[in-house]
Amino acid sequence: ETGVTQSPTHLIKTRGQQVTLRCSSQSGHNTVSWYQQALGQGPQFIFQYYREEENGRGNFPPRFSGLQFPNYSSELNVNALELDDSALYLCASSLGLSNEKLFFGSGTQLSVL
Amino acid sequence: DQQVKQNSPSLSVQEGRISILNCDYTNSMFDYFLWYKKYPAEGPTFLISISSIKDKNEDGRFTVFLNKSAKHLSLHIVPSQPGDSAVYFCAAKAAGNKLTFGGGTRVLVKP
């Protein structure tokens, strides 16, 4: 059974650029959530995908968008990067919408200069 | 608007003693609470959880207590071990499985 894997592990971008982060969910998990963890804070919910459709969104602007593919892997896209987007981006998978136990990947550390 | 708060950013405890981590919440719609543990360069891992219909849940050295009237929960680790040194996050959920996290407490267990 493979766990949640994220790529890349680290990324440096400049303000105004666009970035795509990738996540492979744990085997058999059909729900993927994305979280942003700023330095010294807890993870904040960005959005969740279930069966390829967005199912819930946190307080993030539309320049944060995502996709889920038929194999349940997912992408997080951020356009027009801002300095405050510098954070650890965590992907979590679960089986179904009512399963509270999320399995997290190790994250992608994004630095925006 | 911080709906889940961990007021102690850090905690230092001697090996073998008890670690007590606290968490307060404001949203009455939260019906399930979880604790996650995070080591550096790793994602958070699930530790223990409790439903709002219970006031205590125990799993080995870890016990979570929930006081709904006070909107407060705590995690007890007994006995604390050096491998428990990590950042601990309290999380809560209402409908669905979107989690709202606290800011974390860094625990250092001294040998």
Side-chain angles (χ1 to χ4, degrees), chain B residues 4 14-16 19 22 27-28 34 51 56 73-74 84 95 99 102:
Chain B
V4 178
Q14 208 65 37
E15 181 179 4
S19 295
N22 294 303
N27 188 342
S28 301
L34 307 91
S51 163
K56 178 182 174 181
L73 64 156
S74 62
D84 296 330
L99 296 183

Side-chain angles (χ1 to χ4, degrees), chain B residues 27-106:
Chain B
N27 188 342
S28 301
M29 299 303 291
F30 288 144
D31 61 2
Y32 203 82
F33 303 89
L34 307 91
W35 286 92
Y36 278 81
K37 176 179 177 180
K38 186 178 186 301
Y39 293 117
E42 294 183 14
T45 55
F46 170 78
L47 191 58
I48 192 170
S49 61
I50 188 167
S51 163
S52 60
I53 62 172
K54 294 187 173 182
D55 55 16
K56 178 182 174 181
N57 188 27
E58 202 169 344
D59 183 2
R61 297 186 296 114
F62 303 92
T63 303
V64 56
F65 297 91
L66 175 62
N67 182 334
K68 278 186 68 177
S69 60
K71 293 191 176 67
H72 176 84
L73 64 156
S74 62
L75 173 68
H76 292 206
I77 307 174
V78 183
S80 300
Q81 299 174 353
D84 296 330
S85 296
V87 178
Y88 290 78
F89 291 100
C90 167
K93 78 160 205 72
N97 58 2
K98 164 197 167 184
L99 296 183
T100 301
F101 285 84
T105 297
R106 183 178 301 277

Side-chain angles (χ1 to χ4, degrees), chain A residues 31 33 35 37 40-45 48 55 57-58 88 90 94-107, chain B residues 1-2 6 31-34 36 38 41-46 49 87 89 93-104:
Chain A
T31 306
S33 304
Y35 287 79
Q37 185 181 6
Q41 298 182 22
Q44 279 202 319
F45 177 75
Q48 178 185 81
N55 181 68
R57 188 179 183 92
L88 179 68
L90 294 163
S94 59
L95 182 58
L97 289 172
S98 59
N99 192 334
E100 299 84 4
K101 291 182 194 174
L102 303 184
F103 292 81
F104 283 87
S106 299
Chain B
D1 172 23
Q2 240 185 315
Q6 295 176 252
D31 61 2
Y32 203 82
F33 303 89
L34 307 91
Y36 278 81
K38 186 178 186 301
E42 294 183 14
T45 55
F46 170 78
S49 61
V87 178
F89 291 100
K93 78 160 205 72
N97 58 2
K98 164 197 167 184
L99 296 183
T100 301
F101 285 84

